[in-house]
Amino acid sequence: MAIDFRIRPPFGSFLSMGGIAGDPIPPKDRTLDDAMIPCRKRIPSLVEGSIELFMQEMDLAGIDLGVLMGRRTNNPAYGNANDEDIYELCRRFPKRFIGFSGIDPHEKDSLDRIGKASEEYGFKGVGLDPGWYADPIKADDPMLMPVYEACARRGLIVSITTSIFLGADVSWSDPAPIHRVAARFPELNIVVPHAAWPYIPQMLAVALVCPNVYIVPDCYFYVDMPGSEDITKAANSFLKDRLLFASSYPVIGLGDAVERWKKRGLNEDALHNSMHYNAAKLLNL
């Protein structure tokens, strides 16, 4: 029984987002494939753009619940995932999905969107992609403070995606801004997809001193990127209650992500916690 904490399924506006749109079939010449996902397998649900196939793949992978991670960048390179589409999937599959609203603080109605997502849609968090906004900002930018305050007040989780691919240069991967936010809002639970790679040791240090920070290393862990062994060591000790499994589909197929995650050297407690218990507790299930 697994919980996938970050998925973008082949449905509605998700289909036009960066990482989903385009040719989903890996090339025959593997040197042209994504360097981060060596020998990535063909994903039938992505090829067909089929939510029905996706649900079958969830079942085959043993994933009972998925967090639909919203995105709102207003950047044509990365796109938006509409809250309405997320809500529709949660409505159609109420026991299989939990929604997070995508928020861009540049929009004047961003706080209203948080209220609607929480009160009308029943979402449990918001997704932020600061380095991908049309006008990129850091995680501790003053524009985001009202968002954090609103989420803390409503008991919503905040997801802050941070890694080498978000921002103009490697300095945008530095988790120091997340540290400052976590320290300022100790009652706010923060999850960090991509684990601020390549600043893995620094991100783990932030999690060490900030008990409200959860690590979602997704592909930077399950494909054995540099730093993955540090994540294993942390998960087998102080981070065992705050590591969260995520496939970040469509980065990779669901079954492939589960299989790779289980091979990363987590002890029995850390494996069970990361694949189910930690997420269930965080989501108040």
Side-chain angles (χ1 to χ4, degrees):
M1 185 176 182
I3 298 175
D4 189 331
F5 216 89
R6 187 173 186 260
I7 55 177
R8 288 75 52 82
F11 179 82
S13 52
F14 282 105
L15 288 166
S16 63
M17 283 171 42
I20 295 182
D23 185 1
I25 304 176
K28 293 181 180 179
D29 182 353
R30 291 297 183 178
T31 63
L32 301 177
D33 202 358
D34 188 338
M36 288 184 54
I37 314 294
C39 299
R40 176 164 53 179
K41 299 175 183 177
R42 183 178 184 272
I43 307 173
S45 62
L46 185 58
V47 174
E48 300 295 332
S50 169
I51 189 64
E52 290 76 20
L53 282 177
F54 179 84
M55 300 306 297
Q56 293 177 24
E57 291 167 2
M58 281 187 72
D59 291 338
L60 289 172
I63 295 174
D64 299 285
L65 183 69
V67 173
L68 301 172
M69 190 57 66
R71 177 185 295 175
R72 195 164 187 87
T73 68
N74 293 306
N75 182 337
Y78 304 105
N80 297 335
N82 297 331
D83 283 2
E84 293 75 14
D85 290 334
I86 296 172
Y87 175 66
E88 174 61 16
L89 283 177
C90 291
R91 187 191 65 80
R92 287 174 57 180
F93 306 99
K95 296 183 179 180
R96 305 304 299 274
F97 294 126
I98 285 176
F100 273 44
S101 174
I103 295 296
D104 180 351
H106 296 88
E107 296 181 321
K108 293 182 179 180
D109 66 342
S110 60
L111 298 184
D112 292 336
R113 291 172 58 84
I114 292 173
K116 183 175 182 178
S118 175
E119 296 172 12
E120 295 186 28
Y121 292 164
F123 291 177
K124 294 203 173 185
V126 305
L128 307 178
D129 299 274
W132 274 347
Y133 293 144
D135 183 9
I137 56 178
K138 297 289 181 68
D140 62 344
D141 190 278
M143 290 189 70
L144 282 167
M145 295 305 129
V147 172
Y148 297 136
E149 291 168 358
C151 290
R153 185 171 62 253
R154 293 177 177 275
L156 297 174
I157 303 162
V158 173
S159 170
I160 309 174
T161 304
T162 307
S163 74
I164 187 62
F165 287 107
L166 287 86
D169 56 51
V170 72
S171 69
W172 285 70
S173 306
D174 189 340
I178 296 174
H179 189 178
R180 289 189 282 270
V181 172
R184 179 171 175 176
F185 299 96
E187 73 281 19
L188 179 67
N189 286 320
I190 298 170
V191 301
V192 186
H194 295 352
W197 194 93
Y199 287 85
I200 295 295
Q202 292 86 344
M203 188 69 251
L204 294 174
V206 172
L208 176 66
V209 298
C210 297
N212 55 328
V213 171
Y214 293 71
I215 307 299
V216 189
D218 46 60
C219 54
Y220 294 91
F221 184 51
Y222 60 61
V223 297
D224 195 16
M225 291 290 285
S228 60
E229 291 186 0
D230 292 329
I231 296 172
T232 297
K233 291 178 181 178
N236 287 339
S237 56
F238 71 88
L239 196 65
K240 72 175 183 177
D241 296 324
R242 287 179 290 128
L243 178 70
L244 302 172
F245 165 75
S247 66
S248 282
Y249 174 105
V251 170
I252 197 172
L254 300 174
D256 205 9
V258 170
E259 181 181 353
R260 290 169 181 257
W261 190 277
K262 290 180 176 179
K263 294 179 179 178
R264 294 307 312 135
L266 299 174
N267 63 37
E268 185 176 351
D269 286 343
L271 181 60
H272 169 73
N273 286 4
S274 67
M275 298 204 73
H276 175 77
Y277 179 76
N278 293 345
K281 183 177 180 180
L282 180 60
L283 294 166
N284 292 317
L285 300 180

